[in-house]
Amino acid sequence: MSSTAPARVGRTYTRARAFPWVLGKIGDFVLWLGPYNAAQLIIAAAGTFLLIKTFSWWAGPLGPIPVAALGVAIWAARAHRIAGQAPLWIAYGVLQRALQPAVGRFGGRTARFPRPQVLAGTFLIEHTGPAAAPPGSAAVLAPSTNPRSRPRPSARGGGPAPTPLQQMLRERPKAAAR
């Protein structure tokens, strides 16, 4: 590196400085215990709504405990990170996962199985033995010399000859009748 090259400068910002998205700060005015991030505001709104709707259930036996618990929940969400992500984005991801189609997506659209279709057509089964020789050639006229390749004559005519076991079983009822 030559001596005339400018020196490199690297800057690092904290997350709050890089992403200063907070609510409750206008100029020099700051809300009480603020500024608040989006997760805190969502917890505050939902918790306040829930406490107002269920006031008759908890007002007598619990006293101010639910209000204090809401305050602690809002305070706990101020800079909380789960695996480096804000809880709001984690909740968004869980919601997206719950709402996505069960079969998944293909090209950004819901994947759909094709409708079943009836396949109609015909097929032909042909005997494909050895290559056909021209008629009148020696290969067609010559009989096979292998005894296993020739069909055995059958007693009933048509089909293979019965095996010795089949012959024994045929003769058995005759012997039992005597």
Side-chain angles (χ1 to χ4, degrees), residues 140-168:
V140 173
L141 300 176
S144 174
T145 57
N146 186 355
R148 290 186 180 176
S149 67
R150 285 189 239 153
R152 295 201 219 143
S154 172
R156 288 187 241 151
T163 63
L165 177 63
Q166 290 172 334
Q167 291 172 358
M168 279 186 359

Side-chain angles (χ1 to χ4, degrees), residues 22-88:
V22 292
L23 302 172
K25 182 176 181 181
I26 301 172
D28 290 335
F29 174 74
V30 178
L31 288 177
W32 184 61
L33 297 175
Y36 301 103
N37 61 24
Q40 287 176 303
L41 293 175
I42 291 172
I43 290 172
T48 303
F49 178 77
L50 185 69
L51 288 179
I52 290 171
K53 290 295 182 182
T54 61
F55 180 77
S56 61
W57 295 351
W58 60 265
L62 297 177
I65 294 175
V67 177
L70 177 62
V72 169
I74 293 169
W75 173 81
R78 72 192 186 286
H80 189 66
R81 298 254 174 242
I82 300 170
Q85 291 185 337
L88 186 63

